[in-house]
Amino acid sequence: MKRAFIFIALLTLLIIAGCATRPPIGPVGSAHIHADFKAYVDGQPLDFAKREYMVKAPFVHIESMDGNTIHIHATGVIIDDFFRTLGMRLTNECFKHPDGKYCTNEGKTLKFYVNGEPDESYGNYVMRDLDKILISYGDETPDELAQQLTTIAE
């Protein structure tokens, strides 16, 4: 009996320790936030209005088939949490999407804008209510970036 208890206690500690080493993803507290976003690759918008992108996680998802609005039901959710639920990633160097991996290189750059301004947080950006987020990869001119910014939902 004593050995079984010790075994269960050690197993529980190992499970807890294993969970603690995983990268954090998920909610911190309760909220209801909407952030609008667009992602472009070489001047072309990516389509997030696909069934496979709808309601992937209870705390952050797209649910209305518009493909432009991230619904967030927790505080402290970063945009990479959202992309990770879809099997994608966003870092300051690369945007990994099912269509490809788009990384800053000699000719093209990854850009991240929040509410019309460049933001260096990239995937670590904590989304807030009514944010307007743009992810753009390519060699756009300032005028082309300005045009992309205007396409984010009002």
Side-chain angles (χ1 to χ4, degrees):
M1 175 77 169
K2 191 174 185 182
R3 283 185 183 187
F5 176 78
I6 292 171
F7 175 77
I8 292 170
L10 286 173
L11 183 61
T12 302
L13 287 173
L14 287 172
I15 290 169
I16 291 170
C19 291
T21 62
R22 290 179 31 194
I25 181 171
V28 176
S30 181
H32 192 155
I33 297 167
H34 296 105
D36 294 320
F37 82 108
K38 282 283 197 179
Y40 286 84
V41 171
D42 293 326
Q44 299 300 310
L46 297 177
D47 183 8
F48 284 89
K50 297 179 180 178
R51 183 135 328 268
E52 65 258 29
Y53 298 144
M54 300 302 126
V55 191
K56 290 293 202 174
F59 66 92
V60 60
H61 54 263
I62 299 172
E63 65 184 8
S64 63
M65 289 299 292
D66 71 359
N68 300 314
T69 306
I70 303 170
H71 295 260
I72 306 144
H73 299 283
T75 59
V77 176
I78 61 174
I79 195 165
D80 191 49
D81 288 340
F82 165 67
F83 285 120
R84 287 170 62 184
T85 69
L86 303 177
M88 302 177 201
R89 292 300 309 265
L90 176 65
T91 68
N92 64 334
E93 291 288 323
C94 295
F95 179 49
K96 181 183 168 221
H97 183 272
D99 294 341
K101 189 172 181 181
Y102 307 104
C103 300
T104 294
N105 57 44
E106 299 80 38
K108 298 180 181 183
T109 58
L110 182 65
K111 293 154 289 291
F112 184 73
Y113 284 74
V114 177
N115 300 322
E117 299 295 325
D119 191 293
E120 297 300 317
S121 302
Y122 290 84
N124 291 318
Y125 180 74
V126 177
M127 294 180 286
R128 293 173 178 80
D129 199 29
L130 306 177
D131 274 343
K132 307 281 187 235
I133 299 169
L134 173 69
I135 300 161
S136 185
Y137 173 79
D139 57 358
E140 303 83 10
T141 67
D143 287 342
E144 290 169 327
L145 280 170
Q147 174 58 34
Q148 289 178 6
L149 286 165
T150 67
T151 67
I152 302 170
E154 296 290 324

